[in-house]
Amino acid sequence: MENKTFVIVGTQWGDEGKGKIIDVLSPKADYIVRFQGGNNAGHTVVVNDEKFILHLLPSGIINSMGKCVIGAGVVVDIEVLLKEIEELEKRGRKLDNLFIDERAHVIMPYHIEMDKAKEEAMGANKIGTTQRGIGPCYIDKIARNGIRIGDLLEPERFKDKLEWNVKEKNDMLTRYGKATFDLEELYERFMKLAEKIRHRIIDGVVEINEAIEEGKQVLFEGAQALMLDIDYGTYPYVTSSSPTAGGVTVGTGVSPKKINRILGVMKAYTTRVGEGPFPTELNDEMGEKLRAVGHEYGATTGRPRRCGWLDLVIGRYAVLIDGLTDIVLTKIDVLTGFEKIKVAVGYEIDGKIYNSYPGNLRKSKPLNIVYDELPGWTEDITQIKNYDELPENCKKYIEYIEKKLKCNVSMISVGPERSQNIYRYDLTEIVK
Ligand code: GDP
Ligand code: IMO
Ligand code: MG
């Protein structure tokens, strides 16, 4: 029996519309599992004009009756999680189906302060993080002194670990000239929080693997995206986790052997929040038009997103690293009304053409981008449901991407609403 598992990942710098696509593709899923990142994510779901922005909760929670699991590879700010649960419950959703792997790490208040203090100290060299404590929490995990969700259920063990961490972080915060933390206060605060999530703590590894073996459908939900990956992204301007398809196995304890299908969400143009390289960035009217029409403002921090043309050098890199079986192309409606649309197909550095994203881009080395130019269209496409009804030039754009990337564009999103989609190839095994 073929495993009914599929992965949804971002292929650019995040905010491709993963939340919307996960919502659309989740109704048949028995499990929806987040595998990395934390509340640096902001995933938007729009249903009949009602908008949800999810940070830690898997985006499938709105449209699926399945179990939603915050997997081992995620870093969890428990107070943010409780607030998200409370807000959704106030809006009439019941969240009895939400669970957290005991192995997930806890974002502690000192992680948030460390994140802020370091960014401030770095000045012009800052990463432009979301200041949610993500990096410092993953640092502690790798340094092997992190606090895991399961530790909260063992008060003595927790206190022991906390004591070391508070001492270490207070030393560091003092050096940054920042306020310090009180061990007892933190201990009491987290013991109370533990009681509020105790009933949601599970061994996700056993549960998810058993579900796959029983033929249940499991959707792995990525946050962030390839170009923010700690290894393959635009280091050091990246996040501290592995948002690629490979991250699924590390972040959930499911073998690569069990992953069936990998869908990469790709925006029809490119955006990025925070600092770092962005070869096709448009610092002109065209960039402003993309930002205005696409409402390109961060779902987590509200920061304006930097905007630019689609970059297929990055697209190829995504097909390669994620092993994409399908592309889901989003926000193509935003390109309506552009007379000409440019697409990057290569980078020229020192006379050499790169077709896949190089590991050694440097500011000091001039980068010449090779663009193709395609004709635009003017028709409103936001209500179209059948591929054949799209304007000719819009279809040409989609087929051009397919040809260049040698990967099917199986689904096209033409608006933020759950209903605004066009299916081009068969997704019946995952769609209702
Ligand atoms: P995520 O982080 O990948 O889930 O994406 P975000 O939610 O941060 O940002 C995507 C934004 O685009 C949200 O405001 C969505 O409601 C919106 N969106 C998603 N798909 C489409 C689409 O096909 N067309 C338009 N116009 N907006 C979309
Ligand atoms: P979703 O899931 C876009 C960016 C931050 C910053 C860098 C590091 O909504 O696509 P961090 O707080 O993770 O240490 O910040 O990564 N970043 C995102 N950009 N979408 C996201 O998530 C992001 N999560 C982090 O802006 O540049
Ligand atoms: Mg987002």
Side-chain angles (χ1 to χ4, degrees):
M1 183 177 62
E2 202 174 56
N3 294 320
K4 291 191 200 152
T5 53
F6 65 109
V7 176
I8 297 184
V9 284
T11 60
Q12 294 153 316
W13 277 285
D15 305 327
E16 296 88 354
K18 297 177 295 294
K20 177 205 156 159
I21 301 305
I22 290 156
D23 174 73
V24 173
L25 298 180
S26 64
K28 271 177 70 181
D30 298 295
Y31 280 82
I32 295 120
V33 188
R34 273 278 303 263
F35 58 91
Q36 47 68 236
N39 58 312
N40 46 350
H43 297 170
T44 316
V45 172
V46 184
V47 193
N48 300 327
D49 284 333
E50 194 185 359
K51 187 167 171 174
F52 301 87
I53 298 181
L54 303 151
H55 300 287
L56 261 170
L57 296 175
S59 309
I61 206 140
I62 313 283
N63 204 10
S64 168
M65 301 303 283
K67 285 193 180 179
C68 290
V69 182
I70 294 174
V74 178
V75 288
V76 185
D77 183 323
I78 302 173
E79 283 164 344
V80 169
L81 178 70
L82 289 169
K83 212 162 146 226
E84 269 197 83
I85 296 173
E86 192 188 313
E87 277 171 14
L88 269 195
E89 287 187 337
K90 263 197 229 145
R91 291 167 79 171
R93 314 268 152 172
K94 265 191 91 58
L95 297 197
D96 298 342
N97 57 340
L98 175 72
F99 300 93
I100 315 166
D101 191 299
E102 60 196 336
R103 298 169 184 83
H105 279 249
V106 182
I107 297 180
M108 300 295 292
Y110 46 75
H111 289 138
I112 300 168
E113 293 313 310
M114 288 294 302
D115 197 355
K116 291 181 185 162
K118 190 170 173 196
E119 283 280 282
E120 199 184 301
M122 283 177 82
N125 292 327
K126 70 173 193 230
I127 307 288
T129 74
T130 59
Q131 307 203 348
R132 302 298 193 262
I134 307 294
C137 185
Y138 278 115
I139 289 174
D140 275 354
K141 166 173 164 168
I142 301 298
R144 293 159 295 181
N145 54 263
I147 291 170
R148 308 213 288 185
I149 290 282
D151 294 331
L152 299 176
L153 303 183
E154 295 176 62
E156 272 179 34
R157 180 183 166 80
F158 171 61
K159 192 152 192 189
D160 213 36
K161 282 189 156 192
L162 188 63
E163 198 172 345
W164 160 266
N165 276 293
V166 169
K167 187 181 171 310
E168 186 193 47
K169 269 51 169 204
N170 280 351
D171 284 351
M172 292 162 107
L173 287 166
T174 305
R175 263 184 279 134
Y176 279 122
K178 299 291 173 192
T180 56
F181 286 88
D182 180 67
L183 173 66
E184 287 307 321
E185 192 270 326
L186 272 184
Y187 175 75
E188 295 300 328
R189 181 167 154 192
F190 276 80
M191 283 298 92
K192 283 192 194 121
L193 291 175
E195 285 321 300
K196 296 192 177 161
I197 56 162
R198 176 183 285 276
H199 61 293
R200 300 189 190 270
I201 303 176
I202 60 165
D203 183 339
V205 175
V206 171
E207 184 148 351
I208 298 160
N209 276 293
E210 276 180 6
I212 295 172
E213 256 144 56
E214 286 164 16
K216 299 223 165 98
Q217 193 185 89
V218 181
L219 188 178
F220 295 100
E221 165 172 347
Q224 289 82 49
L226 168 65
M227 298 310 284
L228 291 170
D229 181 274
I230 186 74
D231 292 293
Y232 305 106
T234 44
Y235 191 88
Y237 299 99
V238 294
T239 191
S240 302
S241 67
S242 303
T244 46
V248 170
T249 66
V250 182
T252 61
V254 169
S255 162
K257 210 162 66 170
K258 294 185 183 164
I259 307 294
N260 186 27
R261 206 155 170 177
I262 302 164
L263 282 67
V265 185
M266 190 176 290
K267 207 181 273 194
Y269 49 98
T270 314
T271 62
R272 154 157 229 183
V273 220
E275 311 301 318
F278 181 175
T280 62
E281 182 169 15
L282 290 165
N283 287 308
D284 59 10
E285 274 169 28
M286 214 66 107
E288 270 161 36
K289 187 171 168 191
L290 284 171
R291 186 175 311 114
V293 181
H295 304 290
E296 294 296 354
Y297 294 89
T300 296
T301 56
R303 290 177 288 177
R305 294 174 182 152
R306 299 157 64 191
C307 297
W309 296 122
L310 180 65
D311 187 339
L312 292 184
V313 177
I314 289 171
R316 277 192 209 99
Y317 194 55
V319 172
L320 190 75
I321 291 181
D322 287 313
L324 301 180
T325 58
D326 305 79
I327 291 168
V328 178
L329 194 66
T330 59
K331 302 193 86 161
I332 192 162
D333 53 297
V334 174
L335 294 180
T336 298
F338 280 79
E339 202 183 321
K340 301 247 183 265
I341 303 166
K342 283 180 145 190
V343 181
V345 286
Y347 298 165
E348 190 195 328
I349 307 164
D350 284 342
K352 188 177 163 194
I353 301 282
Y354 291 82
N355 295 318
S356 175
Y357 202 86
N360 61 350
L361 272 192
R362 297 282 176 271
K363 256 195 193 153
S364 52
K365 281 199 180 170
L367 169 76
N368 187 22
I369 301 175
V370 186
Y371 280 108
D372 268 353
E373 197 173 74
L374 285 90
W377 60 91
T378 53
E379 297 89 335
D380 178 1
I381 59 168
T382 56
Q383 301 312 316
I384 293 180
K385 300 272 181 277
N386 298 315
Y387 186 75
D388 293 340
E389 288 166 25
L390 283 172
E392 275 316 305
N393 285 346
C394 182
K395 283 194 274 193
K396 269 191 199 149
Y397 187 67
I398 295 164
E399 287 160 34
Y400 170 89
I401 295 169
E402 275 190 335
K403 203 163 141 221
K404 284 278 175 195
L405 298 185
K406 299 191 185 77
C407 185
N408 286 348
V409 174
S410 301
M411 180 178 171
I412 300 138
S413 170
V414 291
E417 275 281 345
R418 184 185 276 171
S419 56
Q420 289 176 293
N421 308 298
I422 297 169
Y423 296 97
R424 179 152 152 73
Y425 296 109
D426 188 24
L427 282 173
T428 45
E429 70 185 272
I430 35 195
V431 188
K432 193 157 35 171

PDB file of all heavy atoms in Angstrom, residues 8 16-25 42-46 54 59-60 221-222 265:
ATOM      1  N   ILE A   8       3.912  19.966   2.355  1.00  0.00           N
ATOM      2  CA  ILE A   8       3.734  21.276   1.706  1.00  0.00           C
ATOM      3  C   ILE A   8       4.815  22.212   2.249  1.00  0.00           C
ATOM      4  O   ILE A   8       4.880  22.455   3.457  1.00  0.00           O
ATOM      5  CB  ILE A   8       2.325  21.847   1.968  1.00  0.00           C
ATOM      6  CG1 ILE A   8       1.284  20.901   1.341  1.00  0.00           C
ATOM      7  CG2 ILE A   8       2.206  23.266   1.414  1.00  0.00           C
ATOM      8  CD1 ILE A   8      -0.147  21.365   1.436  1.00  0.00           C
ATOM      9  N   GLU A  16       4.539  32.476   0.814  1.00  0.00           N
ATOM     10  CA  GLU A  16       4.113  32.118  -0.540  1.00  0.00           C
ATOM     11  C   GLU A  16       2.610  31.859  -0.600  1.00  0.00           C
ATOM     12  O   GLU A  16       2.043  31.721  -1.687  1.00  0.00           O
ATOM     13  CB  GLU A  16       4.850  30.847  -1.006  1.00  0.00           C
ATOM     14  CG  GLU A  16       6.366  30.972  -1.142  1.00  0.00           C
ATOM     15  CD  GLU A  16       7.103  30.670   0.155  1.00  0.00           C
ATOM     16  OE1 GLU A  16       6.433  30.478   1.199  1.00  0.00           O
ATOM     17  OE2 GLU A  16       8.345  30.641   0.134  1.00  0.00           O
ATOM     18  N   GLY A  17       1.991  31.736   0.580  1.00  0.00           N
ATOM     19  CA  GLY A  17       0.568  31.374   0.628  1.00  0.00           C
ATOM     20  C   GLY A  17       0.389  29.931   1.093  1.00  0.00           C
ATOM     21  O   GLY A  17      -0.630  29.293   0.804  1.00  0.00           O
ATOM     22  N   LYS A  18       1.373  29.442   1.841  1.00  0.00           N
ATOM     23  CA  LYS A  18       1.307  28.049   2.334  1.00  0.00           C
ATOM     24  C   LYS A  18       0.051  27.815   3.156  1.00  0.00           C
ATOM     25  O   LYS A  18      -0.625  26.800   3.017  1.00  0.00           O
ATOM     26  CB  LYS A  18       2.541  27.729   3.211  1.00  0.00           C
ATOM     27  CG  LYS A  18       3.859  27.792   2.474  1.00  0.00           C
ATOM     28  CD  LYS A  18       5.033  27.550   3.397  1.00  0.00           C
ATOM     29  CE  LYS A  18       5.224  28.627   4.458  1.00  0.00           C
ATOM     30  NZ  LYS A  18       5.604  29.951   3.944  1.00  0.00           N
ATOM     31  N   GLY A  19      -0.267  28.784   4.040  1.00  0.00           N
ATOM     32  CA  GLY A  19      -1.421  28.638   4.932  1.00  0.00           C
ATOM     33  C   GLY A  19      -2.689  28.390   4.141  1.00  0.00           C
ATOM     34  O   GLY A  19      -3.463  27.475   4.435  1.00  0.00           O
ATOM     35  N   LYS A  20      -2.894  29.186   3.105  1.00  0.00           N
ATOM     36  CA  LYS A  20      -4.093  29.017   2.275  1.00  0.00           C
ATOM     37  C   LYS A  20      -4.124  27.633   1.626  1.00  0.00           C
ATOM     38  O   LYS A  20      -5.149  26.950   1.644  1.00  0.00           O
ATOM     39  CB  LYS A  20      -4.137  30.095   1.183  1.00  0.00           C
ATOM     40  CG  LYS A  20      -5.334  29.859   0.301  1.00  0.00           C
ATOM     41  CD  LYS A  20      -5.285  30.389  -1.088  1.00  0.00           C
ATOM     42  CE  LYS A  20      -6.249  29.539  -1.927  1.00  0.00           C
ATOM     43  NZ  LYS A  20      -6.690  30.169  -3.144  1.00  0.00           N
ATOM     44  N   ILE A  21      -3.000  27.224   1.063  1.00  0.00           N
ATOM     45  CA  ILE A  21      -2.962  25.945   0.333  1.00  0.00           C
ATOM     46  C   ILE A  21      -3.151  24.770   1.309  1.00  0.00           C
ATOM     47  O   ILE A  21      -3.857  23.808   1.008  1.00  0.00           O
ATOM     48  CB  ILE A  21      -1.631  25.824  -0.460  1.00  0.00           C
ATOM     49  CG1 ILE A  21      -1.499  26.994  -1.454  1.00  0.00           C
ATOM     50  CG2 ILE A  21      -1.528  24.474  -1.163  1.00  0.00           C
ATOM     51  CD1 ILE A  21      -2.669  27.166  -2.417  1.00  0.00           C
ATOM     52  N   ILE A  22      -2.551  24.872   2.473  1.00  0.00           N
ATOM     53  CA  ILE A  22      -2.714  23.807   3.477  1.00  0.00           C
ATOM     54  C   ILE A  22      -4.184  23.709   3.880  1.00  0.00           C
ATOM     55  O   ILE A  22      -4.744  22.624   3.965  1.00  0.00           O
ATOM     56  CB  ILE A  22      -1.786  24.068   4.686  1.00  0.00           C
ATOM     57  CG1 ILE A  22      -0.329  23.839   4.270  1.00  0.00           C
ATOM     58  CG2 ILE A  22      -2.152  23.163   5.873  1.00  0.00           C
ATOM     59  CD1 ILE A  22       0.699  24.563   5.092  1.00  0.00           C
ATOM     60  N   ASP A  23      -4.799  24.852   4.065  1.00  0.00           N
ATOM     61  CA  ASP A  23      -6.232  24.864   4.406  1.00  0.00           C
ATOM     62  C   ASP A  23      -7.048  24.158   3.315  1.00  0.00           C
ATOM     63  O   ASP A  23      -7.898  23.324   3.613  1.00  0.00           O
ATOM     64  CB  ASP A  23      -6.697  26.318   4.571  1.00  0.00           C
ATOM     65  CG  ASP A  23      -8.196  26.427   4.769  1.00  0.00           C
ATOM     66  OD1 ASP A  23      -8.658  26.076   5.870  1.00  0.00           O
ATOM     67  OD2 ASP A  23      -8.903  26.826   3.821  1.00  0.00           O
ATOM     68  N   VAL A  24      -6.750  24.483   2.056  1.00  0.00           N
ATOM     69  CA  VAL A  24      -7.522  23.903   0.956  1.00  0.00           C
ATOM     70  C   VAL A  24      -7.294  22.395   0.854  1.00  0.00           C
ATOM     71  O   VAL A  24      -8.225  21.640   0.583  1.00  0.00           O
ATOM     72  CB  VAL A  24      -7.132  24.588  -0.385  1.00  0.00           C
ATOM     73  CG1 VAL A  24      -7.794  23.889  -1.568  1.00  0.00           C
ATOM     74  CG2 VAL A  24      -7.503  26.061  -0.361  1.00  0.00           C
ATOM     75  N   LEU A  25      -6.067  21.968   1.081  1.00  0.00           N
ATOM     76  CA  LEU A  25      -5.739  20.554   0.854  1.00  0.00           C
ATOM     77  C   LEU A  25      -5.871  19.673   2.103  1.00  0.00           C
ATOM     78  O   LEU A  25      -5.564  18.492   2.053  1.00  0.00           O
ATOM     79  CB  LEU A  25      -4.323  20.440   0.267  1.00  0.00           C
ATOM     80  CG  LEU A  25      -4.110  21.100  -1.105  1.00  0.00           C
ATOM     81  CD1 LEU A  25      -2.676  20.912  -1.581  1.00  0.00           C
ATOM     82  CD2 LEU A  25      -5.076  20.552  -2.158  1.00  0.00           C
ATOM     83  N   GLY A  42       3.646  33.119   9.972  1.00  0.00           N
ATOM     84  CA  GLY A  42       2.333  33.759   9.948  1.00  0.00           C
ATOM     85  C   GLY A  42       1.619  33.210   8.735  1.00  0.00           C
ATOM     86  O   GLY A  42       1.973  33.527   7.607  1.00  0.00           O
ATOM     87  N   HIS A  43       0.668  32.321   8.959  1.00  0.00           N
ATOM     88  CA  HIS A  43      -0.015  31.645   7.854  1.00  0.00           C
ATOM     89  C   HIS A  43      -1.465  32.110   7.787  1.00  0.00           C
ATOM     90  O   HIS A  43      -2.212  31.967   8.752  1.00  0.00           O
ATOM     91  CB  HIS A  43       0.048  30.123   8.052  1.00  0.00           C
ATOM     92  CG  HIS A  43       1.450  29.583   8.028  1.00  0.00           C
ATOM     93  ND1 HIS A  43       1.767  28.304   8.385  1.00  0.00           N
ATOM     94  CD2 HIS A  43       2.619  30.162   7.670  1.00  0.00           C
ATOM     95  CE1 HIS A  43       3.075  28.122   8.248  1.00  0.00           C
ATOM     96  NE2 HIS A  43       3.610  29.237   7.827  1.00  0.00           N
ATOM     97  N   THR A  44      -1.840  32.678   6.655  1.00  0.00           N
ATOM     98  CA  THR A  44      -3.168  33.275   6.531  1.00  0.00           C
ATOM     99  C   THR A  44      -4.147  32.319   5.841  1.00  0.00           C
ATOM    100  O   THR A  44      -3.835  31.741   4.805  1.00  0.00           O
ATOM    101  CB  THR A  44      -3.085  34.577   5.693  1.00  0.00           C
ATOM    102  OG1 THR A  44      -1.950  35.322   6.144  1.00  0.00           O
ATOM    103  CG2 THR A  44      -4.344  35.407   5.805  1.00  0.00           C
ATOM    104  N   VAL A  45      -5.317  32.212   6.440  1.00  0.00           N
ATOM    105  CA  VAL A  45      -6.401  31.402   5.863  1.00  0.00           C
ATOM    106  C   VAL A  45      -7.623  32.318   5.772  1.00  0.00           C
ATOM    107  O   VAL A  45      -7.966  32.990   6.740  1.00  0.00           O
ATOM    108  CB  VAL A  45      -6.714  30.197   6.792  1.00  0.00           C
ATOM    109  CG1 VAL A  45      -7.957  29.450   6.326  1.00  0.00           C
ATOM    110  CG2 VAL A  45      -5.515  29.246   6.867  1.00  0.00           C
ATOM    111  N   VAL A  46      -8.241  32.364   4.591  1.00  0.00           N
ATOM    112  CA  VAL A  46      -9.428  33.214   4.424  1.00  0.00           C
ATOM    113  C   VAL A  46     -10.599  32.347   3.973  1.00  0.00           C
ATOM    114  O   VAL A  46     -10.524  31.666   2.954  1.00  0.00           O
ATOM    115  CB  VAL A  46      -9.172  34.348   3.393  1.00  0.00           C
ATOM    116  CG1 VAL A  46     -10.386  35.270   3.304  1.00  0.00           C
ATOM    117  CG2 VAL A  46      -7.926  35.145   3.738  1.00  0.00           C
ATOM    118  N   LEU A  54      -2.436  32.185  11.521  1.00  0.00           N
ATOM    119  CA  LEU A  54      -1.948  31.158  12.438  1.00  0.00           C
ATOM    120  C   LEU A  54      -0.436  31.241  12.556  1.00  0.00           C
ATOM    121  O   LEU A  54       0.265  31.412  11.549  1.00  0.00           O
ATOM    122  CB  LEU A  54      -2.368  29.783  11.908  1.00  0.00           C
ATOM    123  CG  LEU A  54      -3.882  29.703  11.734  1.00  0.00           C
ATOM    124  CD1 LEU A  54      -4.277  28.755  10.635  1.00  0.00           C
ATOM    125  CD2 LEU A  54      -4.542  29.327  13.045  1.00  0.00           C
ATOM    126  N   SER A  59      -2.046  25.047  10.102  1.00  0.00           N
ATOM    127  CA  SER A  59      -3.101  25.743   9.345  1.00  0.00           C
ATOM    128  C   SER A  59      -4.254  24.815   8.991  1.00  0.00           C
ATOM    129  O   SER A  59      -5.335  25.283   8.631  1.00  0.00           O
ATOM    130  CB  SER A  59      -2.548  26.332   8.057  1.00  0.00           C
ATOM    131  OG  SER A  59      -1.407  27.090   8.321  1.00  0.00           O
ATOM    132  N   GLY A  60      -4.028  23.504   9.069  1.00  0.00           N
ATOM    133  CA  GLY A  60      -5.102  22.553   8.782  1.00  0.00           C
ATOM    134  C   GLY A  60      -6.189  22.577   9.838  1.00  0.00           C
ATOM    135  O   GLY A  60      -7.268  22.011   9.635  1.00  0.00           O
ATOM    136  N   GLU A 221       3.186  20.063   7.341  1.00  0.00           N
ATOM    137  CA  GLU A 221       3.054  21.494   7.046  1.00  0.00           C
ATOM    138  C   GLU A 221       4.355  22.252   7.308  1.00  0.00           C
ATOM    139  O   GLU A 221       4.797  22.360   8.451  1.00  0.00           O
ATOM    140  CB  GLU A 221       1.930  22.075   7.924  1.00  0.00           C
ATOM    141  CG  GLU A 221       1.929  23.583   7.984  1.00  0.00           C
ATOM    142  CD  GLU A 221       0.708  24.162   8.686  1.00  0.00           C
ATOM    143  OE1 GLU A 221      -0.258  23.412   8.923  1.00  0.00           O
ATOM    144  OE2 GLU A 221       0.722  25.366   8.979  1.00  0.00           O
ATOM    145  N   GLY A 222       4.940  22.792   6.247  1.00  0.00           N
ATOM    146  CA  GLY A 222       6.166  23.583   6.398  1.00  0.00           C
ATOM    147  C   GLY A 222       5.856  25.016   6.780  1.00  0.00           C
ATOM    148  O   GLY A 222       4.840  25.575   6.383  1.00  0.00           O
ATOM    149  N   VAL A 265       5.103  25.342  -2.622  1.00  0.00           N
ATOM    150  CA  VAL A 265       4.272  26.528  -2.877  1.00  0.00           C
ATOM    151  C   VAL A 265       5.180  27.643  -3.389  1.00  0.00           C
ATOM    152  O   VAL A 265       6.196  27.971  -2.765  1.00  0.00           O
ATOM    153  CB  VAL A 265       3.514  26.973  -1.609  1.00  0.00           C
ATOM    154  CG1 VAL A 265       2.563  28.122  -1.935  1.00  0.00           C
ATOM    155  CG2 VAL A 265       2.738  25.808  -1.011  1.00  0.00           C
TER     156      VAL A 265
END
